[in-house]
Amino acid sequence: MGRRFLRGACVATVATLGFAPAQAAAPVEAVHPESWPAAHSRGLVDPRTEAFVDELMGRMSLEEKVGQLIQADVGSIRPEDLREFPLGSILAGGDSPPLGAPDRSPAQAWLATARAFRTAAAQARPGRPAIPLIFGVDAVHGNNNVVGATIFPHNIGLGAARDPDLIRDIGRATANEAAAVGIDWTFGPTVAVVRDDRWGRTYEGYSEDPEVVAGYARALVTGLQGTPAQWPSLQAGRIAGSAKHFLGDGGSANGRDQGDNLSSEAELARLNAPGYAAAIDAGVMTVMASFSSWRGVKLHGHRGLLTDVLKGRMGFDGFVVGDWNAHGQVPGCTTESCPQAVNAGLDMLMAPDSWKGLYRNTLAQARSGEIPMARLDDAVRRILRVKAKAGLFGVRPLEGKLELVGAPEHRALARRAVAESLVLLKNNGGVLPISAKARVLVAGDGADNVGKQAGGWTLSWQGTGNKPADFPNAQSIWEGVRDAVAAGGGQAELSPDGRFATRPDVAIVVFGEDPYAEFQGDRATLEYQPGAKSDLALLRKLKAQGVPVVAVFLSGRPLWVNPEFNVADAFVAAWLPGSEGGGVADVLVGDARGRPRSDFRGKLSFSWPRRADQFSLNRGDARYDPLFAYGYGLTYRDSRTVPQLPEISGVAAVAENVDRYLAGGQVVAPWRLVLRDAGGDEAVPGAGAGASPQGALAVRLVDAAGVQGAGRALAWTGEGRAVFAGPEVDLRRQANGDMALLATYRVDRRPTGAVRLGIGGASVPLQGLLGAAQSGEWRTIKVRLSCFRAGGEDLAAVTSPAWIEASGGLELALAELRLAPNQNDAVCP
């Protein structure tokens, strides 16, 4: 799915404006359905179900039919709204909490939310049928919105396991935990075939190889939904699935999320059709359309692919759901009006915050015939068919059995999945397995960090902001190692920075990518930590002290890590293992005699780059030159020594950073701080202090959070602007994703005039907020990017992603300035 929280300030403004796409309509390239593989939905159509649907539709008003096509997010709808708007579905995006509950809520709050909406939808209306809502979430590696749920490894790790039976079991466990809290539907499996590892959703893909993807699609659909013989799904403790994102999102040019796939039709079908055909043959109930385009045409408006190929040639009888307001990107559409998408074959429009206007406009379009009645009835039939097969009209035997959330048997399954997913890339000198009697140092910022090891789509959209208390049933990698070593009579010590009093026998260093999701994870190159290499410094420090080093690398994709690889004696690709860090220890730590307790099984499902410029490196390429080929993975039986690797990345220094401007008092490259007077004269201060040419604005270093020099104090004596300036960046996706500009600030002298916070050519007032602030107190504010877009800045070509302007006296200290997810805490001042 796309982005995932909308509530509060600015919602009404955005809903009114919609999102006008930047691109004009591209010529639609003809498709040839006969060249695509044939498939057939298994179990969805039968006479009894169709008669049931006929009877329902015969009693439905036009308003009720149109309502079935609209899906709203729980962050912008309340149960009582269903009295006027008979919608067909709700979802909870990755940052949308349950009703009346805080972010990161336990199972009971989710269950109460599901029941509240279901009760409202079932209220008796004389002469009208009671049609239940279908409630969907992104349960993409477990029921990952719920505190205490089992968090399975992300798909990239599961792809390395090469175990379809494991995937089926994970699907069943995920369905059980979702059904227990009243969830009907998950937006998975992801069947993207990733072709450029710079893509921010690479970890959502199982493999670069369509054969692995197809096998896993079949297995996960069966696990989530059960077989057709077991349907209705909910009565069997299962839920509906959704194959996504149709079509070709993993092959967008330059690995850009929501981008354009330029493949030929033959290549598009060869790579992407197998996953969908397998899911359809297994009976997948829904398919989610992609944000992306094929040869310039948005998939949400592509009739040839949605209708002629998917519903025609591939025989899909379920319904097609849109992504997060993605219909608004179809040329000629807004988020509140898009008959083009419905007529192209979209059956349900995901309209998280725009649902009210979209319902009214779609109703008017159905009345006028702009949306033909036959198309409307087809969409409604498909939705009702799925609701019947999913079991929404029947009993829910698992609902309320909250002991299933994080159940011991599910955690054991996740731990097994972690162990199977690990790929051993290097084991020089046989440093692994580690004897359980050894003295083991566990270091690195990922060692005791469940949030980092779980990655994005974990309790929040981006997977950021999570604390240890948010994972009551989880085990960090450090905790797993500690327990394994203690059981064997050894000693383990946690030291994130690598310091120790007694020299250890071996050090395990856990490091890697911080959590991200979707476009926030798009990269310019595959170089890990370009510029300052803090993790490399830690590895080198330990190695210089004569300590054997085992590197455990957490990542959502293969990356160029040659310098880190060279320092480590052993190197393990652990991907994003989820909540069960003990699975890492099961393989790395042997018994008291140093014998393996479990061997490595993982094999690369993505080719590992030799250079950081090998963005598109896939099995079968004409020029295939990986460092480690697809399918590579050592075991304890192998005695291969990996030689020193070249440390020339193959790329020039590239600005990866589009979302951090000030951190720890330092301006973050490629941005620079510019002090500008009212007349336009500018100065760039040095690392410490400086002033604008006319002296109206000055800056100096100050302490923040008890750290010397961790903030910048700005002092205005007249009109001036402090600008964070740099290369041109496109922030439209961040705005569509409901990101916010975060500032950590301290008012040292309240403003005497107007103050504005801006991005590019738009700004919002700050003087009220700063004037009410307690002097000398550090605070944080988040301002939604959509507020700036509503002010006239389209965010397509921004060279100043943050600026502050004052017309008079003001003293303001800043410790941090960056983009951050809106987690029910962003405003429009």
Side-chain angles (χ1 to χ4, degrees):
M1 195 180 77
R3 164 62 184 129
R4 326 306 104 163
F5 173 83
L6 285 170
R7 177 185 285 179
C10 268
V11 168
T13 302
V14 177
T16 301
L17 293 175
F19 172 66
Q23 64 180 35
V28 179
E29 188 158 331
V31 297
H32 304 85
E34 68 280 359
S35 66
W36 290 69
H40 179 69
S41 283
R42 190 161 65 99
L44 283 175
V45 176
D46 61 71
R48 181 178 179 182
T49 301
E50 296 309 296
F52 174 75
V53 171
D54 285 340
E55 194 277 332
L56 278 179
M57 291 182 66
R59 294 190 288 128
M60 291 173 72
S61 66
L62 181 63
E63 290 80 1
E64 288 166 328
K65 288 182 177 181
V66 169
Q68 289 299 303
L69 274 63
I70 309 298
Q71 183 184 57
D73 185 83
V74 296
S76 65
I77 190 172
R78 290 295 176 267
E80 54 267 26
D81 292 326
L82 297 175
R83 298 170 189 159
E84 180 180 357
F85 299 92
L87 302 193
S89 179
I90 56 169
L91 79 149
D95 281 336
S96 296
L99 290 174
D103 297 335
R104 299 167 178 82
S105 291
Q108 186 59 53
W110 289 102
L111 177 61
T113 296
R115 286 177 169 172
F117 277 105
R118 193 182 312 134
T119 299
Q123 286 180 349
R125 299 179 179 89
R128 303 262 60 88
I131 300 176
L133 291 161
I134 185 167
F135 187 0
V137 299
D138 284 282
V140 294
H141 64 141
N143 195 13
N144 43 259
N145 284 351
V146 179
V147 169
T150 307
I151 306 298
F152 293 94
H154 268 298
N155 289 349
I156 191 169
L158 298 178
R162 300 293 206 286
D163 188 345
D165 291 340
L166 172 68
I167 304 308
R168 185 194 61 239
D169 292 345
I170 288 173
R172 182 173 60 246
T174 299
N176 290 170
E177 295 202 17
V181 301
I183 301 299
D184 310 314
W185 177 26
T186 178
F187 305 129
T190 298
V191 295
V193 178
V194 182
R195 307 304 283 176
D196 188 320
D197 295 346
R198 291 175 294 177
W199 188 35
R201 306 190 79 154
T202 295
Y203 65 78
E204 296 186 52
Y206 294 115
S207 177
E208 69 192 37
D209 189 315
E211 183 178 351
V212 171
V213 173
Y216 274 22
R218 184 180 300 107
L220 191 65
V221 167
T222 301
L224 288 169
Q225 298 186 169
T227 64
Q230 297 171 301
W231 295 353
S233 290
L234 282 166
Q235 278 77 77
R238 310 298 179 91
I239 59 175
S242 187
K244 67 180 186 182
H245 306 85
F246 191 85
L247 179 78
D249 52 337
S252 59
N254 301 313
R256 181 176 172 80
D257 191 40
Q258 303 183 19
D260 192 6
N261 189 314
L262 302 176
S263 300
S264 67
E265 184 182 2
E267 187 74 352
L268 188 73
R270 182 184 73 82
L271 291 173
N272 297 281
Y276 290 95
I280 291 167
D281 285 339
V284 72
M285 294 183 184
T286 74
V287 169
M288 181 178 285
S290 178
F291 263 109
S292 60
S293 305
W294 178 53
R295 292 184 168 268
V297 179
K298 283 289 180 181
L299 267 299
H300 275 63
H302 205 302
R303 178 180 172 84
L305 290 173
L306 292 179
T307 297
D308 299 339
V309 170
L310 178 61
K311 295 180 176 179
R313 176 65 172 173
M314 300 183 77
F316 176 59
D317 292 326
F319 72 80
V320 180
V321 63
D323 208 336
W324 187 273
N325 272 335
H327 56 274
Q329 296 185 12
V330 175
C333 292
T334 70
T335 55
E336 292 190 340
S337 177
C338 196
Q340 296 94 318
V342 177
N343 290 335
L346 204 67
D347 300 308
M348 181 181 286
L349 298 104
M350 186 183 290
D353 64 322
S354 56
W355 58 271
K356 191 175 292 185
L358 185 63
Y359 170 80
R360 288 171 172 156
N361 286 326
T362 305
L363 180 59
Q365 290 149 5
R367 284 175 173 155
S368 71
E370 188 174 2
I371 298 174
M373 190 56 62
R375 172 77 272 266
L376 177 65
D377 281 346
D378 174 61
V380 174
R381 174 173 295 278
R382 289 170 176 271
I383 293 167
L384 296 180
R385 178 187 294 150
V386 166
K387 289 184 175 183
K389 291 296 185 180
L392 271 64
F393 294 90
V395 298
R396 298 165 178 264
L398 293 192
E399 185 172 290
K401 295 186 175 182
L402 301 186
E403 66 273 14
L404 291 172
V405 177
E409 61 270 26
H410 297 164
R411 292 191 59 198
L413 177 65
R415 184 166 179 156
R416 170 189 152 202
V418 174
E420 290 191 24
S421 71
L422 303 176
V423 180
L424 180 60
L425 300 178
K426 177 182 180 181
N427 191 23
N428 287 8
V431 66
L432 291 175
I434 297 168
S435 168
K437 294 183 68 174
R439 178 183 291 274
V440 182
L441 180 73
V442 185
D445 68 344
D448 194 26
N449 190 334
V450 176
K452 182 160 182 161
Q453 74 190 40
W457 292 110
T458 306
L459 302 184
S460 67
W461 171 39
Q462 293 292 317
T464 55
N466 294 321
K467 305 179 295 297
D470 298 324
F471 299 101
N473 296 331
Q475 186 178 46
S476 70
I477 294 173
W478 146 250
E479 290 169 333
V481 172
R482 177 199 62 197
D483 292 352
V485 170
Q491 293 180 296
E493 175 184 0
L494 174 66
S495 175
D497 63 4
R499 288 183 289 184
F500 55 83
T502 302
R503 183 181 180 281
D505 298 315
V506 65
I508 299 173
V509 182
V510 188
F511 65 100
E513 291 187 292
D514 290 324
Y516 56 82
E518 299 188 43
F519 50 80
Q520 284 297 102
D522 286 357
R523 299 180 64 99
T525 79
L526 295 181
E527 181 178 4
Y528 176 65
Q529 282 195 337
K533 293 182 175 291
S534 57
D535 293 327
L536 178 61
L538 173 58
L539 294 166
R540 285 176 171 165
K541 179 177 76 171
L542 290 166
K543 191 68 173 176
Q545 294 173 299
V547 179
V549 173
V550 175
V552 176
F553 188 52
L554 303 174
S555 74
R557 63 194 123 204
L559 289 169
W560 185 79
V561 285
N562 286 19
E564 293 84 358
F565 198 91
N566 283 337
V567 177
D569 297 279
F571 198 101
V572 177
W575 314 111
L576 298 170
S579 62
E580 304 309 314
V584 176
D586 289 342
V587 183
L588 268 62
V589 179
D591 62 16
R593 298 175 59 184
R595 298 174 302 189
R597 294 185 298 140
S598 181
D599 204 349
F600 285 91
R601 291 186 50 179
K603 305 295 179 185
L604 291 178
S605 60
F606 288 80
S607 304
W608 199 279
R610 184 179 298 276
R611 303 183 312 277
D613 63 353
Q614 291 179 300
F615 314 135
S616 184
L617 179 68
N618 300 296
R619 179 187 186 191
D621 289 351
R623 300 179 64 182
Y624 184 63
D625 183 32
L627 177 61
F628 299 114
Y630 176 94
Y632 175 90
L634 301 176
T635 70
Y636 285 136
R637 297 183 300 275
D638 297 313
S639 58
R640 173 178 174 176
T641 296
V642 179
Q644 286 290 105
L645 304 174
E647 297 190 5
I648 304 301
S649 69
V651 297
V654 176
E656 294 276 2
N657 170 41
V658 301
D659 55 5
R660 292 185 304 122
Y661 316 121
L662 182 72
Q666 302 301 309
V667 180
V668 184
W671 309 103
R672 59 196 179 100
L673 176 61
V674 177
L675 306 181
R676 184 178 299 162
D677 286 315
D681 294 333
E682 297 181 347
V684 178
S692 61
Q694 303 302 317
L697 173 59
V699 65
R700 60 185 175 85
L701 287 174
V702 293
D703 294 350
V707 179
Q708 185 176 12
R712 291 277 183 121
L714 296 160
W716 282 264
T717 55
E719 185 175 350
R721 180 181 290 187
V723 182
F724 290 84
E728 184 177 286
V729 293
D730 184 350
L731 298 178
R732 288 176 297 178
R733 294 178 301 166
Q734 283 82 350
N736 298 338
D738 203 33
M739 298 290 286
L741 179 61
L742 177 150
T744 300
Y745 67 95
R746 184 185 69 200
V747 176
D748 294 325
R749 183 164 69 93
R750 294 189 178 95
T752 60
V755 183
R756 301 195 71 83
L757 172 69
I759 295 178
S763 62
V764 296
L766 274 190
Q767 63 269 18
L769 182 142
L770 299 182
Q774 180 70 38
S775 295
E777 180 180 279
W778 285 102
R779 296 186 172 193
T780 297
I781 183 176
K782 288 182 180 180
V783 179
R784 292 174 54 178
L785 296 191
S786 54
C787 308
F788 300 101
R789 190 170 64 196
E793 172 59 63
D794 73 0
L795 303 174
V798 176
T799 57
S800 52
W803 54 262
I804 301 173
E805 181 179 88
S807 62
L810 170 67
E811 292 182 10
L812 179 70
L814 295 173
E816 186 177 29
L817 198 60
R818 62 180 174 87
L819 300 187
N822 173 14
Q823 297 177 318
N824 195 21
D825 55 0
V827 299
C828 283

